[in-house]
Amino acid sequence: MKKIEIYEPSMCCPTGLCGVSVDPELLRISTVVDKLIKSNISAVRYNLSSAPMEFINNLDVNKKMGEHGVNILPITVVDDEIVLTGRYPSNDELIEFLDLSPEFFMD
């Protein structure tokens, strides 16, 4: 089974869904990750402010951030390989990255 990790910039809370105006992209990715987890797919989000050691311990993520700074975030890692930087993956990209059926996000 594939594993996806998303390394995110610092946010006020683990999901980024608090505050007066909620970013629709954060709402989408939060919903997507919840659906992946409920479908027994290994999916985790790491927030720079609440899980800084995860950014240090992943040498590839650490190197990318050293080269490009925090503007490279979010970084998406699938099976220990960086597959996307600078934005969250689309649902179509997630289907491709995780070998999901095209109908996975249709319900």
Side-chain angles (χ1 to χ4, degrees):
M1 177 185 316
K2 298 220 177 219
K3 172 181 77 170
I4 186 167
E5 300 164 295
I6 300 175
Y7 293 80
E8 302 176 304
S10 293
M11 292 184 269
C12 56
C13 64
T15 62
L17 296 177
C18 51
V20 177
S21 66
V22 175
D23 180 343
E25 189 63 355
L26 286 175
L27 181 58
R28 182 189 68 82
I29 205 66
S30 183
T31 302
V32 163
V33 169
D34 285 345
K35 181 172 177 63
L36 292 170
I37 291 168
K38 287 177 183 170
S39 299
N40 294 318
I41 296 168
S42 179
V44 64
R45 295 169 66 191
Y46 297 117
N47 181 321
L48 183 56
S49 60
S50 61
M53 288 307 295
E54 296 298 335
F55 290 74
I56 292 168
N57 292 336
N58 185 309
L59 298 179
D60 293 333
V61 169
N62 192 321
K63 181 179 177 188
K64 280 280 189 202
M65 288 185 64
E67 293 168 350
H68 304 282
V70 294
N71 290 336
I72 197 77
L73 299 175
I75 296 174
T76 302
V77 177
V78 176
D79 291 342
D80 301 319
E81 179 183 337
I82 293 175
V83 295
L84 187 66
T85 62
R87 64 178 177 82
Y88 290 100
S90 68
N91 289 0
D92 288 340
E93 288 169 324
L94 289 166
I95 286 168
E96 179 184 336
F97 295 156
L98 300 173
D99 297 326
L100 301 171
S101 72
E103 296 82 24
F104 185 81
F105 292 111
M106 291 190 170
D107 58 358

